[in-house]
């Protein structure tokens, strides 16, 4: 069965995207400057300037501009691995055979860099208050794996996680934190920017992020030694010699000065983008308030998200039957109830783009043999189940009941109202 668009709702002529780049004009000016000064390279004024602006904005001492957020996470893993486990020989990962705790409900770019360095990700379940790593499950994980010394945590959809609690658990067990702030640039926790809480942190300027370079990312740290290493590694690890002299493994990970021009032009609009995204979030919240759903939650007392993506989750008792296989899905329509699949079809039918919640890493075939720790213990549940009113596997529960809504900055109020109407129809 498939969703049929009601005749009363007309599809948009131009697609409303989940989150597309929003340009302002200055980007072109700085790109042109790179062209005219011939700094069409991985060196130049735009790179220096975006690194400076980032340090000033986030409050970190060093920012190293790289080709992607994933590259920044890779460099962070390598730094942490060398620090924790000594200098590996070329050809061996810095985390070879070592377990690393990771957010479970996140984009796979949080996790893959662990594996690039030979590490073994162990996934930590999610909490319901911010949809990020659960500090209680993290504590449990250290009971099961007391030797783990590295934790990578993401701030999903631009919402800061329970940073104080997570930090306290990591400190107790002497573990280093890598913060994946790729989605949360500009979000704050107790007044401080995300990307400052870990030892080695990352941000991204991928095309769909809150501001973009079309691509790009940065490694953030307060350690000069770490920043210098990443500058060297990311430009093929050249030693200071008259020829190409190599003592370490190198990478071609540096950001282009043209890309940096785009980022430079975007930075002054970061706050504008956040304000637009916040307004989108609040309009959804208001427009959906009498439905059996809620928006992606955050800790209003301690944090201010960047509202990168607006998401919603359907109340348990308002879920119609939905069965997901590895590659396809079906559902059974019921009056007064709906499910993410039906709502995503309704959104698609009017030429707008929604998306399922990131499928949790412990449910991904590639990571099926990796550990997964929940509040209630270890091991995977076969299906979404509840004990004493709490989900046994919170990641799975949010994946099953949640979805991301069209959150493009350029979406007009009237257009958003049409999307809201289409969602409301699903619950009739
Ligand atoms: C986008 C993203 C990344 C990767 O950033 P790229 O710049 O695309 O490599 C990493 N982690 C999360 C959570 C992301 O959303």
């Amino acid at each position: 069965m498939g969703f049929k668009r009601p005749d009363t709702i007309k599809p948009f002529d131009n697609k409303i995207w989940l989150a597309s780049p929003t340009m302002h004009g200055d980007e072109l000016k700085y790109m042109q400057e790179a062209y005219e000064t011939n700094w069409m390279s991985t060196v130049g004024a735009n790179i220096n300037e975006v690194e400076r602006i980032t340090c000033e904005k986030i409050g970190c001492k060093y920012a190293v501009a790289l080709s992607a957020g994933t590259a920044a996470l890779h460099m962070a893993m390598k730094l942490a691995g060398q620090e924790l486990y000594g200098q590996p020989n070329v050809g061996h990962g810095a985390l070879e055979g070592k377990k690393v705790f990771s957010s479970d409900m996140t984009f796979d770019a949080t996790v893959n860099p662990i594996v690039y360095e030979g590490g073994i990700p162990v996934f930590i379940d999610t909490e319901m208050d911010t949809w990020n790593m659960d500090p209680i499950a993290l504590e449990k994980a250290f009971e099961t794996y007391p030797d783990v010394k590295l934790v990578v945590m993401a701030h999903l959809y631009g919402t800061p996680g329970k940073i104080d609690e997570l930090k306290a658990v990591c400190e107790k067990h002497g573990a280093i934190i890598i913060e994946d702030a790729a989605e949360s640039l500009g979000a704050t926790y107790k007044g401080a920017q995300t990307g400052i809480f870990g030892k080695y942190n990352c941000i991204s300027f991928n095309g769909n992020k809150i501001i973009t370079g079309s691509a790009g990312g940065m490694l953030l740290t307060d350690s000069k030694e770490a920043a210098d290493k990443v500058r060297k590694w990311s430009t093929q690890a050249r030693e200071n010699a008259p020829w190409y002299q190599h003592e370490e493994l190198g990478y071609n990970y540096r950001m282009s000065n043209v890309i940096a021009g785009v980022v430079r032009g975007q930075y002054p609009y970061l706050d504008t983008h956040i304000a637009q995204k916040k307004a989108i979030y609040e309009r959804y919240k208001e427009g959906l308030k009498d439905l059996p759903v809620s928006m992606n939650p955050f800790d209003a007392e301690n944090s201010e998200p960047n509202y990168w993506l607006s998401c919603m989750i359907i109340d348990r008792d308002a879920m119609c039957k939905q069965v997901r296989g590895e590659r396809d899905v079906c559902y059974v329509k019921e009056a007064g109830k709906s499910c993410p699949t039906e709502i995503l079809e309704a959104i698609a039918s009017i030429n707008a783009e929604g998306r399922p919640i990131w499928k949790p890493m412990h449910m991904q075939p590639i990571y099926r043999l990796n550990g997964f720790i929940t509040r209630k213990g270890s091991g995977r549940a076969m299906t979404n189940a509840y004990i004493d009113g709490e989900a046994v596997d919170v990641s799975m529960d949010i994946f099953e009941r949640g979805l991301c809504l069209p959150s493009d900055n350029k979406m007009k109020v009237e257009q958003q109202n049409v999307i809201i109407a289409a969602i409301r129809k699903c619950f009739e």
Side-chain angles (χ1 to χ4, degrees), residues 50-350:
V50 292
E51 288 183 345
R52 188 193 64 77
I53 297 169
T54 301
C55 288
E56 195 177 274
K57 172 75 191 171
I58 308 268
C60 57
K61 289 209 180 93
Y62 305 96
V64 184
L66 300 173
S67 55
T70 311
L73 282 160
H74 183 189
M75 294 293 91
M77 294 301 162
K78 191 168 166 112
L79 284 168
Q82 288 202 349
E83 178 178 339
L84 289 165
Y85 306 114
Q87 300 281 342
N89 295 320
V90 169
H92 293 269
L95 295 167
E96 204 66 52
K98 306 293 182 186
K99 291 190 170 65
V100 177
F101 293 151
S102 169
S103 291
D104 177 54
M105 200 174 78
T106 182
F107 185 41
D108 71 343
T110 308
V111 181
N112 291 343
I114 299 170
V115 183
Y116 299 166
E117 284 303 312
I120 304 164
V122 171
F123 303 112
I124 310 299
D125 199 14
T126 309
E127 39 81 5
M128 267 295 174
D129 302 329
T130 77
W131 291 9
N132 286 300
M133 184 185 281
D134 180 359
I136 299 170
L138 181 63
E139 179 62 53
K140 274 254 166 7
F142 278 110
E143 287 166 21
T144 312
Y145 303 100
D147 295 338
V148 170
K149 290 283 170 241
L150 183 59
V151 180
V152 54
M153 54 181 72
H155 303 290
L156 206 74
Y157 302 132
T159 300
K162 297 191 174 187
I163 293 171
D164 279 355
E165 290 90 332
L166 291 166
K167 265 180 81 170
V169 176
C170 290
E171 266 162 33
K172 182 175 154 196
H173 297 278
I176 293 177
I177 295 175
I178 292 175
E179 215 184 329
D180 178 355
E183 299 179 359
S184 65
L185 181 61
T188 59
Y189 179 81
K190 297 191 172 169
Q193 295 280 319
T194 58
I196 193 110
F197 298 100
K199 186 156 188 183
Y200 311 118
N201 308 313
C202 123
I203 55 176
S204 165
F205 301 109
N206 181 301
N208 66 4
K209 298 298 196 296
I210 190 98
I211 58 169
T212 183
S214 74
M218 278 190 194
L219 177 109
L220 313 177
T221 182
D222 280 344
S223 159
K224 180 171 190 307
E225 195 193 339
D228 287 344
K229 276 189 190 168
V230 174
R231 282 180 206 286
K232 179 182 164 192
W233 293 341
S234 64
T235 51
Q236 307 288 20
R238 289 180 65 178
E239 298 299 331
N240 188 11
W243 43 80
Y244 278 78
Q245 177 83 5
H246 301 289
E247 291 171 12
E248 292 182 284
L249 195 59
Y251 304 83
N252 183 5
Y253 275 178
R254 195 72 163 131
M255 183 184 279
S256 146
N257 192 48
V258 179
I259 298 288
V262 184
V263 177
R264 187 176 175 184
Q266 286 264 288
Y267 249 120
Y269 298 93
L270 174 57
D271 290 340
T272 310
H273 287 194
I274 294 174
Q276 289 165 337
K277 296 273 191 185
K278 183 174 181 173
I280 289 167
Y281 179 95
E282 291 186 335
R283 284 199 291 271
Y284 276 127
K285 191 171 179 170
E286 179 63 26
L288 304 172
K289 72 175 176 204
D290 52 335
L291 292 181
V293 306
S294 44
M295 297 297 292
N296 48 329
F298 61 93
D299 173 2
E301 207 172 302
N302 292 313
S303 72
E304 180 66 22
N306 71 3
Y307 302 91
W308 174 54
L309 291 190
S310 285
C311 306
M312 56 172 271
I313 183 165
I314 301 169
D315 292 354
R316 277 176 222 169
D317 50 14
M319 277 284 292
C320 68
K321 198 171 159 76
Q322 169 192 252
V323 181
R324 280 182 170 145
E326 278 306 336
R327 298 201 177 210
D328 42 26
V329 55
C330 65
Y331 65 93
V332 183
K333 179 66 198 151
E334 269 181 79
K337 297 187 176 187
S338 190
C339 63
T341 308
E342 186 190 20
I343 295 170
L344 289 169
E345 286 177 359
I347 289 170
S349 80
I350 54 172

